[in-house]
Amino acid sequence: PLRWDFPAAPRLYMEQTCHHPPVSSFQFVGPDAAYTYYGYSEFGVAFGYNRMFLNSGGMRVVEFPDGGKIAISFPENVIKNVFWGDMYHEVFGSQSFTDVKNKIRCTITFAPETRKGLPTDYFEGVIEHYDPTKPEVEGEAICEVQGSWVGFIDFDKVRYWDVRSCQKMTNSPPAGLLPSDSRRRGDAVELHKKDFKTAQAAKLQLEETQRKERKLRETVHGVKGRK
């Protein structure tokens, strides 16, 4: 796993917890442990004409000290100009943020078809009270949400975040690295030395270790590669 430390005490941990299918897990602990953002993600790939669609899935949760939780779904992604042209990433479809305990959710739509002439990074949606036993039923609107996933977000036309004015976090590696840190991967170290034979053997050994660890997780949790 990787551990990345930020100022004001937030901590980020990341680990590739499964090789096949590829599953990446993470945990981000906010300043003074005000919240914890954790989960895992896996994806499938489908190709189109000069583009690549990424179908993501998994789990993403923000948890607070009082026990409150917000579950975050995955929107759809596409990488365009894969073979020629300037490559770029687009997000489309919808994404939800759900607090079941307090019966509140927010659903936003990226690049909505009803909004012509706006940048494709634009999104809009609504925060609403809803009935968790009837999630398919539209709830009672609390406020509207608009923004750009690369720039800003407004709630009822009041700006709460803007990339141009927010404080930027810097990052630095921790003083001590875990034995399993990716910078200590034997295959990568040997590959950097151009010892390809040893690098290949180290890679095979690493994959075998990952398979054994995956079986242990499945035995304990019953979920393939995800915990």
Side-chain angles (χ1 to χ4, degrees):
L2 295 178
R3 171 180 167 176
W4 225 253
D5 286 333
F6 295 91
R11 299 182 303 281
L12 172 63
Y13 303 89
M14 297 181 291
E15 183 177 0
Q16 190 75 17
T17 48
C18 185
H19 170 68
H20 184 73
V23 178
S24 300
S25 299
F26 68 91
Q27 181 186 56
F28 182 83
V29 182
D32 300 317
Y35 61 88
T36 301
Y37 179 37
Y38 61 88
Y40 66 88
S41 63
E42 57 181 305
F43 63 90
V45 178
F47 286 93
Y49 183 72
N50 199 28
R51 64 184 63 187
M52 178 173 63
F53 297 95
L54 302 179
N55 303 311
S56 302
M59 176 188 74
R60 294 194 290 197
V61 177
V62 179
E63 186 169 345
F64 301 92
D66 64 359
K69 293 183 180 182
I70 299 175
I72 304 173
S73 70
F74 291 76
E76 299 178 79
N77 297 267
V78 60
I79 309 296
K80 296 186 176 180
N81 296 339
V82 175
F83 300 108
W84 62 84
D86 295 328
M87 187 182 298
Y88 62 97
H89 173 208
E90 294 273 27
V91 179
F92 64 100
S94 63
Q95 184 173 25
S96 63
F97 303 77
T98 306
D99 180 348
V100 176
K101 180 181 178 180
N102 294 299
K103 302 179 181 180
I104 297 174
R105 70 181 174 192
C106 174
T107 302
I108 59 175
T109 301
F110 296 93
E113 295 181 357
T114 55
R115 298 292 191 178
K116 303 297 183 181
L118 292 174
T120 54
D121 52 79
Y122 173 80
F123 65 82
E124 63 181 21
V126 63
I127 298 177
E128 61 182 3
H129 282 295
Y130 82 107
D131 184 351
T133 64
K134 301 177 181 178
E136 72 284 355
V137 178
E138 185 175 332
E140 178 185 356
I142 300 173
C143 79
E144 295 182 346
V145 184
Q146 299 90 22
S148 160
W149 63 272
V150 296
F152 68 94
I153 185 168
D154 296 342
F155 294 91
D156 276 346
K157 301 187 184 304
V158 177
R159 184 142 306 176
Y160 276 72
W161 176 79
D162 193 308
V163 70
R164 296 167 295 184
S165 58
C166 70
Q167 182 181 359
K168 309 299 190 300
M169 285 186 175
T170 59
N171 62 73
S172 58
L177 300 179
L178 296 173
S180 57
D181 190 282
S182 62
R183 284 161 288 187
R184 289 184 170 177
R185 281 184 54 156
D187 56 345
V189 172
E190 297 303 327
L191 187 62
H192 183 72
K193 297 177 182 178
K194 299 188 183 301
D195 187 344
F196 303 115
K197 184 176 181 179
T198 304
Q200 178 64 20
K203 178 178 180 294
L204 294 175
Q205 179 59 49
L206 177 61
E207 292 175 351
E208 181 60 30
T209 299
Q210 289 178 329
R211 281 190 283 269
K212 289 180 180 179
E213 292 177 349
R214 178 184 176 184
K215 289 181 179 179
L216 289 174
R217 284 192 294 270
E218 292 174 1
T219 299
V220 175
H221 300 287
V223 180
K224 290 188 176 181
R226 297 177 179 176
K227 292 185 178 182

